């Protein structure tokens, strides 16, 4: 075990998938992990597993402030790293997305992260060091059918993060984006729940395609030929935490590498044609 016990790391979205995997992996590596989740039952699960765990609802500024206040009490006002991870994917064609549904997507995937990050930065500035790691997505730089809300939130996240990287230069605070493609998780299960709540019952010109989308969501399979376990993300998080010169971006899975290259090389019309095939 490495001597990381004095390095506190706060992680959001630890109920399952990437967040839980990273929490476990960093704990095993000797870090003092503070795991958070939105639901009380998930916080209880994390506590039983031995984590210092708190409830943190990214949709609530009050919840964010309360959770961070508790963290500061147990860390004596220190925090080495923040891994922003808690998010969900809202399915549906852009023309079918009520504005309030789009706003809810941004509240969780962007505004909550922004509020937490803003509160953490002064702590890191005062101590002269820190790492902020943003779990973005391949959909932070390419688009696919019926994922517009999620894509918009990740594109916005990437823009904010690139700007912060410039603004934090020389502060001792490093900020990195992780851009996974398909990862084993409960992402489809959570997306299907949002689908049923917000889109499924409404009439749409995309109804026939939606039926195919719904069948994929119901199947609940996370696996494609290129799906990786969440440990692939953990590997990049460790590099971003421990390397003296962390990368601005970390690609995860073959599709992320592939489309990063294709986006640089292909004209927009050709790339759109490729993306339409991927989405179909």
């Amino acid at each position: 075990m490495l001597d990381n016990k004095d390095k506190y790391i706060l992680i959001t979205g630890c109920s399952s998938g990437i967040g839980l995997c990273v929490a476990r992996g960093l704990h095993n590596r000797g870090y003092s992990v503070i795991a958070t989740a939105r639901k009380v039952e998930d916080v209880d699960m994390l506590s039983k597993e031995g984590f210092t765990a708190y409830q943190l609802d990214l949709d609530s500024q009050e919840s964010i402030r309360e959770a961070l206040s508790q963290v500061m009490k147990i860390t004596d006002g220190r925090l080495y790293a923040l891994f922003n991870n808690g998010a969900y994917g809202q399915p549906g064609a852009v023309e079918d997305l009520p504005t309030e549904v789009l706003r809810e997507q941004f509240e969780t995937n962007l505004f909550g992260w922004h509020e937490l990050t803003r509160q953490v930065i002064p702590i890191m500035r005062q101590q002269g060091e820190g790492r902020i790691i943003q779990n973005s997505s391949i959909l932070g730089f390419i688009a696919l059918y019926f994922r517009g809300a999620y894509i918009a939130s990740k594109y916005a996240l990437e823009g904010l993060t690139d700007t912060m990287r410039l603004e934090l230069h020389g502060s001792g605070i490093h900020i990195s984006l992780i851009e996974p493609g398909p990862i084993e998780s409960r992402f489809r299960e959570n997306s299907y729940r949002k689908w049923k709540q917000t889109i499924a019952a409404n009439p749409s010109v995309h109804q026939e395609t939606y039926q195919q989308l719904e069948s994929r969501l119901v199947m609940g399979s996370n696996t494609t030929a290129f799906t990786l376990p969440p440990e692939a993300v953990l590997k990049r998080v460790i590099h971003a935490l421990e390397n003296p010169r962390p990368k601005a971006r970390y690609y995860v899975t073959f599709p992320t590498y592939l489309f990063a290259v294709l986006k640089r090389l292909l004209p927009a019309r050709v790339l759109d044609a490729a993306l339409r095939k991927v989405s179909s």
Side-chain angles (χ1 to χ4, degrees):
M1 182 178 291
L2 301 179
D3 186 18
N4 290 321
K5 68 180 187 310
D6 291 331
K7 291 184 176 179
Y8 293 94
I9 176 167
L10 174 61
I11 306 175
T12 66
C14 293
S15 62
S16 64
I18 292 172
L20 183 57
C21 174
V22 170
R24 288 169 173 166
L26 295 182
H27 175 76
N28 292 337
R29 205 168 176 83
Y31 286 91
S32 293
V33 173
I34 302 163
T36 68
R38 181 173 60 87
K39 296 180 180 179
V40 173
E41 55 265 35
D42 292 326
V43 176
D44 291 341
M45 176 271 293
L46 292 165
S47 298
K48 290 175 182 176
E49 195 164 320
F51 290 108
T52 300
Y54 296 111
Q55 186 177 14
L56 192 158
D57 183 352
L58 289 165
D59 293 351
S60 167
Q61 291 191 13
E62 182 180 351
S63 174
I64 292 168
R65 284 192 288 266
E66 175 60 26
L68 188 58
S69 174
Q70 294 181 71
V71 169
M72 290 298 96
K73 288 177 183 177
I74 67 165
T75 66
D76 196 25
R78 294 174 294 131
L79 188 66
Y80 178 67
L82 168 65
F83 180 42
N84 277 316
N85 169 72
Y88 70 92
Q90 171 64 60
V94 172
E95 64 189 287
D96 292 336
L97 286 171
T99 301
E100 61 269 21
V101 172
L102 183 60
R103 187 176 290 115
E104 289 171 3
Q105 177 79 106
F106 270 70
E107 195 67 54
T108 301
N109 290 17
L110 184 71
F111 300 146
W113 293 30
H114 177 62
E115 179 64 25
L116 180 56
T117 304
R118 283 185 63 248
Q119 293 189 34
V120 162
I121 287 175
I123 299 164
M124 293 181 174
R125 281 193 181 276
Q126 186 173 10
Q127 64 196 17
E129 66 170 354
R131 303 288 169 109
I132 300 170
I133 305 170
Q134 313 270 56
N135 194 27
S136 182
S137 170
I138 184 176
L139 299 182
F141 64 87
I142 65 164
L144 295 176
Y145 282 118
F146 305 137
R147 297 164 177 85
Y150 181 75
I151 289 167
S153 71
K154 291 302 184 182
Y155 266 68
L157 172 68
E158 299 235 345
L160 276 180
T161 303
D162 285 341
T163 304
M164 283 192 288
R165 191 175 64 253
L166 299 176
E167 295 171 349
L168 293 171
H169 179 73
S171 67
I173 305 170
H174 298 277
I175 186 164
S176 300
L177 285 157
I178 297 182
E179 297 170 326
I183 297 290
E184 295 171 3
S185 70
R186 284 172 22 195
F187 191 83
R188 281 194 176 184
E189 176 186 333
N190 295 333
S191 292
Y192 181 62
R193 186 171 62 253
K194 287 293 183 180
W195 162 264
K196 295 296 287 184
Q197 291 172 355
T198 59
I199 301 294
N202 301 321
S204 171
V205 296
H206 301 288
Q207 206 64 50
E208 183 176 338
T209 311
Y210 278 172
Q211 291 174 2
Q212 300 171 12
L213 171 65
E214 184 169 9
S215 66
R216 291 200 298 269
L217 292 174
V218 170
M219 285 171 60
S221 173
N222 291 300
T223 57
T224 69
F226 304 112
T227 300
L228 293 179
E231 285 78 8
V233 175
L234 170 63
K235 179 180 178 181
R236 274 65 169 193
V237 171
I238 290 171
H239 188 279
L241 285 174
E242 298 180 359
N243 194 283
R245 297 184 64 184
K247 297 179 181 180
R249 280 174 167 77
Y250 291 87
Y251 299 156
V252 188
T253 74
F254 174 75
T256 308
Y257 283 95
L258 175 63
F259 279 101
V261 172
L262 293 180
K263 184 163 186 177
R264 288 196 297 269
L265 297 180
L266 296 181
R269 286 188 179 183
V270 178
L271 180 61
D272 284 355
L275 292 171
R276 284 195 294 271
K277 290 182 179 180
V278 171
S279 300
S280 61

